[in-house]
Amino acid sequence: MSQSLSASIRTIALVGHGASGKTTLVESLLAATGGIASRGSVEKGNTVCDYDPLEKEWGHSLQTALVSFETAGAKVHVIDTPGYPDFAGQSIAALAGVDTALIVINAQTGIELSTERMFTLAGERGLCRMIVINKIDADNVDLPALVGAIRERFGNQCLLLDLPAHHGADVVELLGHADGESDFASVAAAHRSLIDQIVEEDDTLMARYLEDGVDPSLDELHAPFEAALRAGHLIPILFVSAKTGAGVPQLLDALAKLAPNPAEGNPPPFYRGEPNEEPQAFQAQPDDELHVLAHVFKVVMDPFIGKLGVFRVHQGTVRKDAQLFIGSGKRPFKVAHLYRLQGKDYVEVPSLVPGDIGAVAKVDDIDFDSVLHDSHDEDNIHLKPLQFPLPMQGLAVQTRRKSDEHRLFDILHKLELEDPCFKVERHPSTNETVIRGLGEMHLRAKLARMLQQFKLELDTSPPQIAYRETITQNAEGHCRHKKQSGGAGQFGEVMLRVEPLPRGTGFEFVDVVKGGVIPGVFMAAVEKGVRQALQDGVVAGFPVHDLRVTVYDGKTHAVDGKDIAFTQAGRKATIEAVRNATPIVLEPLVNIEVLAPEAAIGDLTGDLASKRGQVTGTQPRPANNVAISGQIPLAELDDYQGRLKSLTAGQGSYSIEFSHYAAVPAQTQQKLMAAHKAVNVDEE
């Protein structure tokens, strides 16, 4: 098996909270390896990764960006990710393209919301993790306290791989050094703790180490170091100042010599899922001579080059002019151009091997999460999907100019393809087009892009809350649909029962009809009618979820039995059954985290409580700030941005994440039911 071409490749995602300095760190890495002549700055808008006009204007990343460089014989692919929670979809998606996550922490602000989330998600994905503490030379930083907080929050397996020295102007590497000076902690003690943790992965090495009392060589430590990284038994902590370059050589050395190559990291969670069969685990081999297997983790709708699918090669070699299949598709596409991304630049390359990250353009059928391959042997191989937060923040939108109406959905569809946490809904009952994202900033960025790139001006308004209906007990429904109009008539009779299912299950349709009383050819029409009733809602006009509908009996007519008759009968029988099953209305609850000055804590907790919210905890944050976490109905957050601004003198910020659906108060349900124009099931 040939792995030589991939052995030098490292794939890294820089993740962490906003303003931790990830983009500036990429600039330092590129400058140190000759990729650019000098470091750009976010403030000046001249960095390689923040190239979008909106990113330059807003001063932070809005999307992932890719760069590559070479150092010490290693080819390193780096994905720079946005840090603010509103853009978490981009950051989470990047985890599917790498072997290692570098969690970047701002030494001034410590462990923040996105820091903890990305650390946990990277661990759940089986990625090797390293922690990089940035801005070590800033004023008023307490690095010993931060290291203590990291170990308390993430575990004692977080061990120092280097230490800052000379007030953050330099960094001392620990794996190969047992002496030297540092700004805090003993170099000798930190070195010893690191070696002790690594040798535990190799019984033979540990026995010799304990007997001889001599440090193993760096070559001997490599394999157990990789094993400890894979198992999560070791999470190295490194120190850098991205602005001055302190610690950057040590970080580059760690990436080249210690970060895993594609054969050393944990295998990506592929599985083979043949139709109607139990999924079976499938392990991709980072061998450049095998069949191609690649995964699309990012889609870009470029205004000049068209639709771009960005993928990681896991097996085989992708070559220019090759023929590749998408998923279980039977028709291949030709790789007319093969690109490596360097910020905004597309660099054509002849081939990509396992571990490489590249892109193909103008292939309409490529979507986020597509698997690319060159043999039908891999038709039904998939990568375990990532878990993305549910987009709950919404805005109803309409075009300002009537002439733009036909363009609206085409543009929204393009944005939806790019972002797994941006969704578009159309509500015929209210004639609303609703865009949903992870927060106010997320939606504001989409609106700004539509105006800037597509010249599309929109008016916005608060949308209808995404309520749901469900049932609380079993019930039955029956409908005989009979219509005669001179010629051939319509006849279909359906009897069914509904049963509640656990929250979040969705909908199940079961056919237990015996004796052909409803011919199989009409059962699809019955299901269509059932789904129509559930989608339109029954008591308050919202979709009905979490129930099983079982069709158990019915009748047909040799001449008048028709699809339309069974669709109507299925719809009306479902409405009757749901009405008899004590339906309730559910509302979305979200987890909320508010970051604000400590002096405002009383006003903020009181405000949340007055809006049916529940505070679940508070955590101190640097600079006399506090993080308040809790749960609150989404319906109570329509004007929260304004209230927060008023209560904190403009210094507060918040983020939300979907939690679960819960029953609305009885008074609210009555109000929603009264406002809904009931469906007249007898109109036909």
Side-chain angles (χ1 to χ4, degrees), residues 302-635:
D302 188 280
F304 303 107
I305 205 169
K307 189 177 186 181
L308 195 77
V310 183
F311 59 88
R312 155 79 183 264
V313 183
H314 292 278
Q315 178 179 289
T317 302
V318 179
R319 293 183 173 86
K320 184 179 180 297
D321 296 328
Q323 301 281 329
L324 293 180
F325 298 97
I326 303 171
S328 57
K330 302 305 178 188
R331 296 183 61 184
F333 71 90
K334 181 181 178 181
V335 182
H337 299 278
L338 193 58
Y339 299 104
R340 178 176 58 79
L341 303 185
Q342 193 74 359
K344 66 179 179 181
D345 297 325
Y346 303 126
V347 182
E348 285 213 50
V349 294
S351 64
L352 298 168
V353 299
D356 274 332
I357 294 175
V360 290
K362 299 179 181 177
V363 183
D364 290 339
D365 292 336
I366 282 185
D367 292 317
F368 174 77
D369 218 23
S370 293
V371 171
L372 311 180
H373 55 97
D374 62 355
S375 164
H376 285 302
D377 292 346
E378 285 77 38
D379 274 356
N380 291 291
I381 290 177
H382 314 273
L383 191 64
K384 179 183 176 182
L386 292 153
Q387 296 299 311
F388 291 96
L390 194 63
M392 298 304 300
Q393 189 90 12
L395 276 177
V397 298
Q398 61 181 16
T399 58
R400 195 166 289 176
R401 295 187 296 266
K402 195 167 184 64
S403 59
D404 285 334
E405 287 181 358
H406 68 285
R407 294 201 302 139
L408 175 62
F409 280 97
D410 179 56
I411 293 169
L412 290 177
H413 179 61
K414 289 179 179 179
L415 299 182
E416 199 173 19
L417 289 173
E418 288 184 320
D419 191 338
C421 291
F422 178 72
K423 300 299 178 187
V424 180
E425 301 170 357
R426 177 67 181 167
H427 299 284
S429 59
T430 59
N431 202 30
E432 278 189 334
T433 299
V434 177
I435 58 174
R436 295 199 181 274
L438 297 182
E440 183 263 343
M441 190 189 300
H442 190 194
L443 295 181
R444 192 156 52 90
K446 299 298 182 187
L447 294 172
R449 184 174 171 200
M450 282 188 274
L451 177 60
Q452 184 183 82
Q453 182 175 327
F454 300 102
K455 313 303 179 190
L456 183 66
E457 294 183 272
L458 299 177
D459 291 321
T460 64
S461 59
Q464 190 176 53
I465 296 296
Y467 293 107
R468 291 179 177 178
E469 299 175 21
T470 192
I471 59 175
T472 58
Q473 63 183 42
N474 297 354
E476 296 195 353
H478 164 243
C479 176
R480 173 183 288 183
H481 177 83
K482 186 176 181 180
K483 193 171 184 180
Q484 200 73 36
S485 56
Q490 299 175 8
F491 183 90
E493 185 171 358
V494 173
M495 301 177 192
L496 52 77
R497 71 176 66 93
V498 295
E499 309 163 64
L501 294 177
R503 202 65 49 80
T505 305
F507 162 64
E508 292 181 12
F509 180 81
V510 181
D511 168 18
V512 295
V513 171
K514 299 187 186 309
V517 292
I518 300 180
V521 68
F522 292 132
M523 194 52 69
V526 175
E527 182 176 355
K528 178 182 176 182
V530 170
R531 290 184 179 274
Q532 282 180 359
L534 299 181
Q535 181 59 39
D536 292 342
V538 175
V539 295
F542 303 107
V544 187
H545 287 254
D546 305 333
L547 77 166
R548 178 185 294 119
V549 178
T550 303
V551 181
Y552 64 87
D553 203 356
K555 289 181 182 177
T556 188
H557 187 276
V559 176
D560 294 344
K562 292 183 174 61
D563 279 350
I564 188 172
F566 280 98
T567 297
Q568 292 298 325
R571 184 176 71 86
K572 295 174 183 178
T574 302
I575 291 171
E576 179 182 287
V578 170
R579 284 177 173 166
N580 294 334
T582 316
I584 60 172
V585 177
L586 305 173
E587 66 178 341
L589 268 63
V590 295
N591 296 322
I592 185 169
E593 179 168 285
V594 183
L595 184 66
E598 193 173 6
I601 187 171
D603 291 338
L604 291 171
T605 54
D607 178 71
L608 290 173
S610 72
K611 299 295 184 179
R612 298 192 287 133
Q614 181 180 2
V615 175
T616 56
T618 59
Q619 290 286 337
R621 290 288 186 261
N624 295 319
N625 285 327
V626 64
I628 304 168
S629 54
Q631 277 190 352
I632 189 169
L634 182 65

Side-chain angles (χ1 to χ4, degrees), residues 104-158:
V104 183
I105 297 177
N106 184 341
Q108 295 174 295
T109 55
I111 302 169
E112 299 174 89
L113 177 65
S114 292
T115 312
E116 191 160 5
R117 170 192 280 169
M118 297 307 297
F119 180 91
T120 302
L121 289 174
E124 291 173 349
R125 194 67 180 180
L127 300 183
C128 298
R129 291 169 290 179
M130 297 182 179
I131 294 172
V132 176
I133 298 176
N134 189 22
K135 306 186 182 182
I136 59 173
D137 56 335
D139 295 332
N140 302 317
V141 297
D142 189 344
L143 296 179
L146 178 54
V147 171
I150 290 171
R151 287 177 174 160
E152 181 180 347
R153 192 81 62 89
F154 300 142
N156 289 327
Q157 68 271 32
C158 299

Side-chain angles (χ1 to χ4, degrees), residues 18 52 122 191 244 271 298 392 496 596:
D52 183 271
H191 169 83
T244 67
Y271 66 93
K298 180 178 173 69
M392 298 304 300
L496 52 77

